[in-house]
């Protein structure tokens, strides 16, 4: 070697993210376990707002995705990026800002979500000030990553880095697109888009959060750490190139498969289905590339727990990416959607793919950071088996529960009536499955604690190498090279051009799907009788959002006989034009509520919220006694009306001035109605429950007096 | 005939068709180009994680056997 430069890798930042992913993994999984147990033992909701299922669920999903997996991504990227580029990170300051900023965001989420501060968009629940903070930290990460790429000593960019680049650019686009919102005050905003358009953008985001936060960065990690652990090059580098470009191009189109049989226009649904089915090709190409990397090393898989974790992780990726396209076929989706099948499916991905790959990387990485050996291979093997059993006990009962419940929903008697007309029958039937799922979660947590113990002992036995000395030829040895070269070698030597190409690839799909929906009014047929929510209903709706009701209740009656018989007329896109945000939901632990308006008397809702089991024996819904106790805050009502007017809701000019007066008038009518049924309370008109009842009684009633097809 | 097949698949309009064609073209071109790569270059890229550092202290298998 003619000349080499001496430098060092920054392991301190890798250690920080490793500790964060270990700690937040425990938090995220434990919160998930509590939520799972609440479905079996509703008393675990504790009767207080901050611990009810509706607020705990987004805390769990955010902790698992952005705290556990997020920190896991950064741990893996900061370690591999430096080594693949043979250089130290671009900026120590940016690394530190990235780390502490990300943890501050997690802390903000852990505080705001239990407080009910949420935008109601799944996996994007955090309110606008935190969204801005996420953008700032994400940009810092991007500058740090591209700065490192630009000062690299290695001429070519390994495929893992392409996945990191695609992750960064796509998450940036998704985060901006799905968080276009107008603030009402510091902790409340309304989205720019409404109803069906909001739904399309949310699931364009939601699906691609899975694609570009839970998948592409982890594929990058797979392409680095699996060859490392197996001590073998990737099976086919050519396949990895095709895998990359095909995956990032196709993934972005598949979002509408979350909205099959909803009010989304048919063409958008079909587009989602076609691309979802196509997605199996690059996904399985990547999976096989990962598994075949172990060719000739399968004997080591028997002994090496790191390889075991990685093999199961890649297999789980293959299972999820087979199941995903299958669930996107409309006839399968008709069965799976709104059931626990979907929950089982996503947990194969998070527990198996993300969880096990993170564990494999941690077991590989921690001993290297601390220049020692893993404390106990036996404990790592035990963790592997406990965790694998945990996944099986988690997923299989949920598949069973999903199929059972869906078939019960659709079952008719020979006379043509619903066999299980009471929704609750279909819930109580699957509670044993929920119990088994909680057992699976407990096993997974138990395995996790075994890992924590093993890693702590490893860390205690070693000595940390904060700055790992390394040497490599300088960039000048290749920077002067010019001449004819292959196009792909050309592009992957140029990170900026790579960034632009990846951006174009992901934007094509997004634009084709979203532009027509966002720009053309014809896509959402208007219905004359649909009017904006009254101020009281609006406040009730915001309480519905605060309590996370959409975590268990959909507001979308699909055009199936089994649903129109149970709930009423199927939902029309024109009914949602004033819904900011849309609240279609994605899971029915309880029944759909889109046609609940007028179905029960006010007093039924009052008693139901106070003690759900009093009106629905056997219900697993938590009680909401504080709604009957707390007074409705109307100090922001006028500001909410003004914000909605700005966004196009046709309230009359100056209506914000009389909105609270109107609210009080309607509240008195609701309260008087309750008093007729023998319900009275001090200042009944001023309680939050009055607004919630007004909202629930409004739901789906716009088209009832004079039904119009709409489309 | 293809139009009929696509239409019967669920009211797919021109956007879906153009999307499929765009993907098919990009995919086929990338496959052809990828297979025209120099094998030596591919081998070097494939083994990059394995020789991604020249650490001063050698990188052994750091967990017990």
């Amino acid at each position: 070697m003619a000349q080499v430069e001496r430098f060092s890798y920054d392991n301190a930042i890798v250690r920080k993210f490793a500790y964060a992913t270990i700690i937040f993994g425990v938090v995220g999984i434990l919160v998930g376990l509590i939520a799972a147990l609440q479905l079996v033992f509703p008393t675990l909701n504790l009767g207080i707002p901050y611990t009810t299922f509706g607020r705990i669920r987004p805390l769990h999903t955010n902790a698992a995705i952005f705290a556990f997996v997020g920190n896991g991504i950064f741990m893996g990227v900061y370690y591999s990026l430096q080594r693949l580029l043979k250089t130290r990170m671009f900026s120590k300051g940016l690394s530190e800002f990235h780390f502490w900023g990300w943890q501050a965001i997690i802390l903000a989420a852990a505080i705001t979500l239990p407080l009910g501060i949420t935008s109601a968009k799944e996996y994007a629940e955090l309110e606008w000030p935190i969204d801005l903070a996420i953008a700032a930290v994400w940009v810092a990460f991007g500058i740090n990553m591209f700065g490192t790429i630009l000062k690299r000593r290695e001429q070519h960019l390994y495929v893992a880095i392409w996945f990191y680049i695609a992750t960064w650019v796509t998450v940036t686009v998704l985060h901006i697109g799905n968080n276009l919102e107008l603030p009402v005050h510091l902790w409340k905003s309304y989205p720019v888009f409404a109803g069906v358009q909001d739904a399309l953008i949310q699931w364009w985001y939601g699906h691609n959060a899975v694609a570009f936060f839970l998948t592409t960065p982890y594929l990058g990690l797979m392409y680095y750490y699996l060859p490392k652990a197996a001590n073998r090059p990737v099976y086919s580098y050519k396949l990895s190139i095709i895998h990359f470009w095909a995956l990032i191009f196709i993934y972005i189109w598949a979002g509408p498969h979350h909205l099959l049989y909803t009010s989304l226009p048919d063409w958008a649904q079909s587009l989602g289905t076609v691309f979802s089915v196509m997605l199996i090709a690059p996904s399985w190409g990547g999976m096989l590339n990962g598994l075949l990397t172990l060719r000739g090393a399968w004997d080591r898989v028997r002994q090496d727990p790191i390889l075991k974790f990685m093999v199961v992780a890649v297999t789980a990726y293959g299972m999820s990416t087979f199941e995903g396209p299958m669930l996107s076929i409309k006839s399968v989706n008709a069965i799976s959607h709104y059931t626990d099948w979907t929950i089982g499916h996503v947990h194969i991905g998070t527990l198996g793919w993300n969880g096990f790959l993170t564990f494999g990387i941690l077991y590989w990485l921690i001993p290297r950071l601390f220049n020692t050996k893993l404390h106990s291979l036996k404990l790592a093997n035990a963790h592997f088996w406990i965790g694998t059993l945990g996944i099986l006990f988690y997923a299989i009962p949920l598949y069973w529960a999903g199929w059972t419940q869906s078939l019960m929903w659709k079952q008719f008697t020979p006379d043509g009536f619903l066999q299980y007309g009471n929704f609750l029958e279909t819930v109580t039937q699957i509670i044993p499955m929920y119990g088994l799922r909680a057992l699976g979660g407990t096993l997974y947590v138990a395995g996790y604690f075994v890992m924590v113990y093993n890693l702590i002992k490893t860390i205690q036995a070693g000595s940390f190498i904060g700055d790992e000395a390394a040497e490599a030829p300088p960039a000048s040895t290749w920077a002067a090279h010019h001449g004819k070269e292959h196009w792909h070698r050309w592009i992957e030597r140029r990170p900026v051009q790579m960034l632009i190409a990846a951006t174009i690839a992901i934007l094509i799909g997004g634009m084709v799907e979203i532009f027509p929906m966002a720009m053309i009014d014809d896509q959402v047929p208007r219905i004359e009788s649909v009017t904006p929510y009254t101020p009281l209903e609006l406040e009730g709706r915001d309480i519905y959002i605060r309590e996370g009701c959409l975590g268990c209740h959909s507001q979308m009656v699909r055009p199936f006989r089994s649903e129109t018989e149970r709930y009423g007329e199927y939902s029309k896109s024109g009914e949602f034009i004033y819904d900011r945000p849309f609240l279609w939901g994605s899971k029915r632990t309880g029944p759909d509520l889109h046609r609940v308006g007028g179905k029960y008397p006010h007093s039924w809702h009052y008693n139901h919220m106070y003690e759900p089991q009093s009106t629905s024996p056997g219900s697993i819904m938590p009680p909401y006694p504080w709604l009957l106790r707390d007074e409705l805050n109307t100090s922001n009502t006028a500001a909410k009306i003004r914000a909605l007017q700005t966004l196009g809701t046709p309230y009359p000019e100056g209506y914000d001035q009389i909105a609270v007066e109107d609210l009080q008038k309607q509240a008195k009518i609701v309260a008087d109605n309750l008093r007729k049924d023998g319900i009275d309370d001090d200042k009944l008109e001023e309680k939050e429950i009055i607004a919630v009842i007004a909202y629930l009684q409004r739901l789906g009633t716009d088209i009832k007096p004079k039904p119009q097809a709409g489309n | 005939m293809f139009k009929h097949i696509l239409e019967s698949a669920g009211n797919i309009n021109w956007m879906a068709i153009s999307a499929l064609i765009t993907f098919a073209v990009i995919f086929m071109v990338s496959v052809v180009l990828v297979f025209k790569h120099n094998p030596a270059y591919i081998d070097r890229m494939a083994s990059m994680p394995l020789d991604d550092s020249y650490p001063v202290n050698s990188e052994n298998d750091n967990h017990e056997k």
Side-chain angles (χ1 to χ4, degrees):
Chain A
M1 197 174 295
Q3 53 168 332
V4 291
E5 288 178 344
R6 288 180 163 265
F7 58 98
S8 64
Y9 296 129
D10 179 8
N11 282 346
I13 188 67
V14 180
R15 178 177 62 170
K16 280 195 173 94
F17 278 117
Y19 285 177
T21 195
I22 293 169
I23 292 166
F24 286 120
V26 173
V27 175
I29 297 166
L30 277 180
V31 175
L33 182 59
I34 292 167
L37 287 167
Q38 284 175 337
L39 293 176
V40 188
F41 308 107
T43 49
L44 290 175
N45 287 281
L46 304 180
I48 53 173
Y50 319 108
T51 49
T52 46
F53 182 86
R55 298 192 190 190
I56 285 289
R57 181 189 174 267
L59 184 67
H60 161 61
T61 52
N62 277 272
I65 298 171
F66 300 108
F68 170 55
V69 173
N71 279 309
I73 292 168
F74 303 136
M75 165 190 74
V77 169
Y78 275 91
Y79 184 88
S80 60
L81 195 67
Q82 297 182 76
R83 283 152 180 86
L84 285 169
L85 299 172
K86 298 192 183 75
T87 186
R88 196 178 170 86
M89 286 308 296
F90 171 65
S91 162
K92 178 86 177 163
L94 284 174
S95 297
E96 293 292 319
F97 176 74
H98 178 196
F99 176 78
W100 290 110
W102 197 255
Q103 310 319 314
I105 288 162
I106 292 167
L107 182 66
I111 294 169
T112 57
L113 291 172
L115 287 175
I117 296 168
T118 169
S119 66
K121 293 195 158 196
E122 284 188 66
Y123 325 128
E125 287 92 348
L126 304 179
E127 265 297 354
W128 67 272
I130 308 175
D131 288 339
L132 290 178
I134 293 170
V137 172
W138 193 253
V139 168
F141 169 48
I143 294 171
N144 207 11
M145 181 166 70
F146 282 98
T148 309
I149 292 172
L150 290 173
K151 69 165 201 164
R152 69 194 187 277
R153 292 186 178 84
E154 168 57 55
Q155 183 178 14
H156 296 286
L157 299 182
Y158 182 65
V159 68
I161 297 171
W162 312 355
F163 279 102
Y164 302 157
I165 291 174
T167 298
W168 186 83
V169 68
T170 315
V171 170
T172 305
V173 171
L174 293 168
H175 181 67
I176 294 169
N178 196 38
N179 287 301
L180 294 172
E181 52 210 6
L182 186 65
V184 176
H185 57 78
L186 189 61
W187 297 115
K188 177 70 190 169
S189 64
Y190 289 122
V192 167
F193 297 105
V196 66
Q197 293 162 336
D198 192 39
L200 181 66
I201 287 170
Q202 155 58 24
W203 284 113
W204 166 74
Y205 164 89
H207 174 74
N208 288 303
V210 175
F212 287 90
F213 205 85
L214 299 176
T215 306
T216 54
Y218 266 63
L219 286 170
L221 300 184
M222 178 192 84
Y223 275 119
Y224 180 78
Y225 290 96
L226 187 57
K228 276 290 205 193
N231 202 25
R232 273 170 169 67
V234 62
Y235 170 68
S236 167
Y237 197 75
K238 288 177 182 174
L239 184 55
S240 73
I241 297 174
I242 297 168
H243 177 205
F244 173 79
W245 287 109
L247 195 84
I248 67 161
F249 186 87
I250 297 178
Y251 237 135
I252 205 85
W253 301 74
H257 69 212
H258 290 258
L259 298 167
L260 299 180
Y261 289 112
T262 67
S263 301
L264 189 75
D266 216 29
W267 68 263
Q269 295 186 31
S270 300
L271 204 60
T273 299
V274 169
F275 276 88
S276 301
V277 172
M278 285 164 64
L279 202 45
I280 196 170
S283 301
W284 273 49
M287 175 198 68
L288 293 172
N289 212 2
L291 289 178
L292 288 171
T293 298
L294 293 166
R295 72 203 179 286
W298 286 98
D299 55 315
R300 284 187 55 210
V301 177
R302 286 172 55 207
Q303 288 128 23
D304 188 344
I306 295 172
L307 289 180
K308 281 182 195 166
F309 274 111
M310 291 186 175
V311 165
V312 171
V314 176
T315 309
Y317 172 63
M319 285 169 64
S320 309
T321 52
F322 166 73
E323 206 181 4
M326 187 174 69
L327 294 174
S328 303
I329 296 167
K330 285 183 99 171
S331 48
V332 180
N333 193 271
I335 298 169
S336 73
H337 198 47
Y338 296 128
T339 75
D340 288 293
W341 189 349
T342 310
I343 318 298
H345 162 62
V346 297
H347 279 84
I348 290 285
T350 42
L351 299 176
W353 166 236
N354 297 115
F356 269 35
L357 197 62
T358 308
F359 303 153
I361 293 171
L362 281 168
Y363 281 125
W364 185 88
L365 194 57
I366 293 290
R368 281 166 175 77
L369 293 182
F370 286 85
N371 197 26
T372 184
K373 291 176 180 175
L374 186 63
H375 169 67
S376 167
L377 274 183
K378 277 186 183 168
L379 284 179
N381 271 313
H383 174 202
F384 170 78
W385 286 111
I386 297 168
T388 304
L389 275 176
I391 295 173
L392 295 175
F393 269 98
Y394 187 102
I396 294 170
L398 281 194
Y399 287 136
W400 199 270
W403 298 330
T404 302
Q405 192 173 32
S406 187
L407 294 177
M408 288 176 81
W409 289 344
K410 293 172 188 299
Q411 186 65 43
F412 282 93
T413 64
D415 299 326
F417 297 104
L418 285 171
Q419 182 157 352
Y420 305 98
N422 182 358
F423 186 92
L424 203 46
E425 285 180 275
T426 73
V427 179
T428 51
Q429 180 74 23
I430 60 173
I431 286 179
M433 298 299 152
Y434 284 168
L436 281 173
R437 181 262 293 269
L439 172 67
T442 308
L443 284 171
Y444 198 84
V445 173
Y448 198 102
F449 279 118
V450 171
M451 179 189 75
V452 172
Y453 172 77
N454 203 358
L455 291 181
I456 288 174
K457 295 298 281 183
T458 305
I459 290 165
Q460 284 173 343
S463 112
F464 179 59
I465 307 169
D467 293 302
E468 188 178 321
E471 55 188 32
S476 56
T477 55
W478 52 266
H481 171 76
H482 288 294
K484 192 172 186 299
E485 61 185 337
H486 192 278
W487 74 278
H488 207 271
R489 264 189 279 175
W490 182 88
I491 195 168
E492 50 99 301
R493 284 205 294 110
R494 289 164 178 77
V496 177
Q497 286 88 334
M498 173 72 102
L499 172 74
I500 294 167
T503 309
I504 292 169
I506 61 119
L507 279 182
I508 293 172
M511 285 192 299
V512 170
E513 268 177 20
I514 290 168
F515 272 27
M517 285 296 298
M519 302 299 167
I520 304 170
D521 278 349
D522 296 351
Q523 299 287 352
V524 186
R526 300 260 162 180
I527 302 173
E528 259 181 54
S529 57
V530 174
T531 54
Y533 293 105
T534 67
L536 186 66
E537 292 159 2
L538 186 66
E539 291 292 357
R541 190 172 198 272
D542 286 342
I543 294 171
Y544 184 98
I545 290 169
R546 183 188 77 192
E547 300 303 337
C549 303
L550 75 158
C552 290
H553 295 279
S554 58
Q555 288 188 18
M556 172 52 61
V557 182
R558 295 177 294 177
F560 302 142
R561 184 167 160 251
S562 59
E563 298 212 353
T564 54
E565 282 289 310
R566 185 181 298 278
Y567 303 117
E569 181 69 19
Y570 69 89
S571 305
K572 318 286 191 295
S573 56
E575 292 183 82
F576 301 101
I577 56 173
Y578 302 121
D579 280 19
R580 292 177 201 273
F582 83 109
L583 297 175
W584 295 358
S586 58
K587 172 73 173 66
R588 284 180 187 155
T589 305
D592 187 278
L593 298 180
H594 191 216
R595 300 284 176 219
V596 79
K599 194 170 179 181
Y600 304 104
H602 290 356
S603 55
W604 185 92
H605 286 294
Y606 189 93
N607 292 324
H608 185 63
M609 287 296 178
Y610 181 68
E611 191 185 349
Q613 289 75 19
S614 69
T615 51
S616 313
S619 168
I620 57 171
M621 178 168 144
Y624 291 84
W626 58 92
L627 297 181
L628 283 64
R629 192 179 57 229
D630 295 347
E631 290 184 9
L632 181 67
N633 177 5
T634 56
S635 62
N636 295 310
T637 307
K640 288 179 179 180
I641 297 290
R642 281 194 296 276
L644 289 172
Q645 281 175 319
T646 307
L647 293 171
T649 306
Y651 290 112
E653 188 75 24
Y655 186 67
D656 58 311
Q657 301 299 320
I658 56 167
V660 174
E661 201 180 309
D662 258 13
L663 180 150
Q664 288 163 345
K665 280 182 199 162
Q666 192 184 1
K668 187 167 184 324
I669 295 168
V670 176
D672 286 346
N673 186 301
L674 284 171
R675 287 194 182 97
K676 274 184 205 159
D677 283 352
I679 292 170
D680 203 358
D681 195 4
D682 193 30
K683 295 183 182 173
L684 184 60
E685 293 85 344
E686 296 173 16
K687 307 296 186 196
E688 287 186 335
I689 186 72
I690 301 296
V692 174
I693 291 173
Y695 172 61
L696 292 174
Q697 296 290 31
R698 168 70 187 275
L699 277 177
T701 55
D702 280 345
I703 66 165
K704 276 186 182 173
K706 197 175 67 175
Q708 294 185 8
N711 47 26
Chain B
M1 186 185 78
F2 292 113
K3 190 166 182 289
H4 173 74
I5 292 170
L6 287 169
E7 276 176 358
S8 62
N11 195 22
I12 294 176
N13 73 353
W14 64 269
M15 281 181 231
I17 297 168
S18 60
L20 273 173
I21 293 170
T22 311
F23 172 73
V25 169
I26 290 176
F27 182 77
M28 285 188 291
V29 169
S30 64
V31 168
V32 170
L33 291 173
V34 161
F35 279 89
K36 284 170 71 181
H37 264 307
N38 175 359
Y41 161 77
I42 289 288
D43 287 346
R44 169 163 147 53
M45 290 306 292
S47 59
M48 197 180 270
L50 303 177
D51 53 21
D52 61 4
S53 61
Y54 299 83
V56 174
N57 39 341
S58 67
E59 192 169 324
N60 296 320
D61 197 0
N62 277 35
H63 63 77
E64 68 178 70
K65 290 284 172 190

